[in-house]
Amino acid sequence: MINHCLCYFLNMSIRKIAGHDLAPGRIIKDHIHVDGTEIHVPHVIISGAADGPVLLVTAGIHNAEYVGIQAAIELSSEIDPEYLAGTLIIVPLANTSGFENRTMSMVYEDGKNLNRVFPGDENGTASDRLAHLIFNTFIRHADAFIDLHSGDGYEELFPYVYFLGDTACEEKSAAMASCVNTEFVVRSRCRTGGAYNMASVNGIPSVLIERGQLSQYPREEIDADKADVINIMKYLGMLKGVHTAYTKTPLFERELFSPATGCWYPEYHAGDTFFSGELLGTIRDYFGNTIHEIKAEETGIIIHQCASLNILKNGPMISYGVF
Ligand SMILES: [Zn+2]
């Protein structure tokens, strides 16, 4: 049973975001500058005709995860304020410099992973400053937060959704996660670094949706992302209509990092299940000699894994879920 009560929303009367005066029915499309950098963050603020919660949707925190970016761009032109209750803030591309310099999801200026440095630091490097701006200008004003991700250029991925456990807003985050049309949900325990993680720690119900892979952006994945956001908006009471709560299989995530740099030969694909003791993949040197065999220590399902020939020491290798 999902709690429909919206009384936990605190920011219903907010009237100013990112320096913009908000007024019912108004749509703002603008960029905001990150101090001490050349970075500008595009954002769209859609103020509904009726009162309601503030929902933030971000994409492109990892700039090569294109499904979410395209879904956010399309949503920002498709939500009509006349039929909206509350305020929808969309940041369609958080890491513009990575996108424009075609990094594989790192911030171009400092090579950092933006989703490891939240809530950021206004005196830090470009990533720290960017995270600080996103956190303080947008996330802090939200009553609910959706962060859209997918598989990077080197990553296979099977769709699922995260929420953070052990927080005051866990029940609401879990209810939002149930609105996402995926088979699996991961209850995370990571309380540092990530945008949705830090939002949740600060009491803002949040989910991270993972859909799409290998930096591809097929139409059906984009549409599925958009449908998830709209379904969550119905749950939040921002759009008319009855939301759908999808039955989910909960997973606990295990992350394996590569013991060496070399060539990578996985045995399975994302979405495949395996048994404890099975070979998951092999790392070979540049002469074809095996240097590591990776064997499963548990039975599980691969939710995302490295799918490029190259693999990097201490870099992501396989993330799997256990039931
Ligand atoms: Zn990501």
Side-chain angles (χ1 to χ4, degrees), residues 145-147 160-180 182 184-191 195-201 204-210 232 246 248-253:
F145 174 35
I146 303 168
D147 193 20
Y160 63 101
V161 57
Y162 288 104
F163 70 95
L164 183 64
D166 300 322
T167 65
C169 58
E170 175 176 354
E171 191 181 337
K172 277 77 176 184
S173 298
M176 288 169 63
S178 77
C179 297
V180 176
T182 58
F184 297 106
V185 59
V186 175
R187 181 177 180 270
S188 172
R189 286 171 261 192
C190 174
R191 303 178 70 82
Y196 92 94
N197 311 76
M198 295 313 300
S200 302
V201 166
I204 300 163
S206 304
V207 293
L208 186 158
I209 302 173
E210 295 274 18
I232 291 173
Y246 296 95
K248 295 243 181 306
T249 301
L251 297 175
F252 293 100
E253 185 178 19

Side-chain angles (χ1 to χ4, degrees), residues 62 65 149-150 210:
H62 292 146
E65 299 177 0
H149 286 249
S150 53
E210 295 274 18

Side-chain angles (χ1 to χ4, degrees), residues 88-105:
L88 175 63
I89 308 170
I90 298 176
V91 175
L93 177 57
N95 178 7
T96 50
S97 67
F99 189 87
E100 290 164 4
N101 288 281
R102 207 173 272 163
T103 67
M104 210 171 264
S105 285

Side-chain angles (χ1 to χ4, degrees), residues 34-54:
V34 182
D35 283 346
T37 74
E38 300 292 311
I39 299 170
H40 292 75
V41 180
H43 56 279
V44 178
I45 304 173
I46 305 173
S47 301
D51 251 350
V54 177

Side-chain angles (χ1 to χ4, degrees), residues 17 42-45 53-59 61 87-92 118 133-148 176 195-196 199 204-207 229 232-233 236 238:
I17 292 175
H43 56 279
V44 178
I45 304 173
V54 177
L55 171 66
L56 171 65
V57 177
T58 59
I61 282 181
T87 305
L88 175 63
I89 308 170
I90 298 176
V91 175
F118 280 89
L133 179 134
I134 292 170
F135 195 81
N136 289 284
T137 305
F138 300 113
I139 293 176
R140 274 197 191 285
H141 294 298
D143 297 306
F145 174 35
I146 303 168
D147 193 20
L148 301 176
M176 288 169 63
Y196 92 94
I204 300 163
S206 304
V207 293
V229 172
I232 291 173
M233 290 176 74
L236 296 173
M238 299 178 74

